[in-house]
Amino acid sequence: MSTGSSPGPTRTAQAFDHFTARPDHYRLITWGRLELGDSTADVAGSLQAIIVRKCDQLRDAQCAGLLDPAWDPVDVLALINQISSTWAGQPEIGAVAEERAADPSTAALPGAWLPLAR
C-alpha cells in the first residue's frame, strides 16, 4: 500500500482498495495486532514512527487549508483507519451500501469528509 501524503478521503479509499484486492493483507495485519500486542518494542517503535509521520502529514494538510484545524490529527488518523478497516473487514456493510447508499463508490468518500475540510 502506498504511503504517500494525501489527506483523509484519498488515504481511506486507497486502504479500502488495497484491502479489497488483498484481503489476506487485512487478515495478516489484524492477526499481527492480536498476536504482537505490546510484546515487541522494536515493532511498536516502528509503528509509532509511522503514526507520527502520518500525523505530521495531516497537520501539513491543515496548514495548507485542506483539513479543518479544529480536528486533532491523531483523531483524523484514527477515523481514516477505522473507516477503511470497517469496509474491508465487514463486507456486509458494503453489500448494504451497494443497495442503499446514495453513492456506494469509493469516489463518494471525499464528500463524506466535507465537514473536515475548510
Side-chain angles (χ1 to χ4, degrees):
M1 182 167 41
S2 170
T3 58
S5 62
S6 57
T10 302
R11 173 72 58 227
T12 304
Q14 288 171 343
F16 171 76
D17 291 344
H18 175 78
F19 289 138
T20 299
R22 296 298 310 264
D24 56 317
H25 285 190
Y26 178 76
R27 289 189 299 271
L28 283 171
I29 289 170
T30 302
W31 173 77
R33 287 183 177 142
L34 291 171
E35 291 296 319
L36 290 176
D38 294 327
S39 66
T40 319
D42 290 341
V43 172
S46 296
L47 292 175
Q48 287 176 349
I50 291 168
I51 291 167
V52 167
R53 188 186 81 243
K54 289 180 180 183
C55 287
D56 289 345
Q57 291 171 343
L58 288 166
R59 197 167 281 110
D60 290 346
Q62 288 173 319
C63 290
L66 300 172
L67 191 64
D68 188 331
W71 286 81
D72 189 301
V74 174
D75 293 334
V76 175
L77 183 60
L79 287 168
I80 292 167
N81 287 338
Q82 284 308 115
I83 289 169
S84 61
S85 294
T86 297
W87 282 101
Q90 297 177 335
E92 63 276 9
I93 292 176
V96 171
E98 287 179 12
E99 295 176 13
R100 299 190 161 234
D103 184 350
S105 70
T106 56
L109 287 173
W113 286 81
L114 285 178
L116 296 177
R118 283 198 123 169

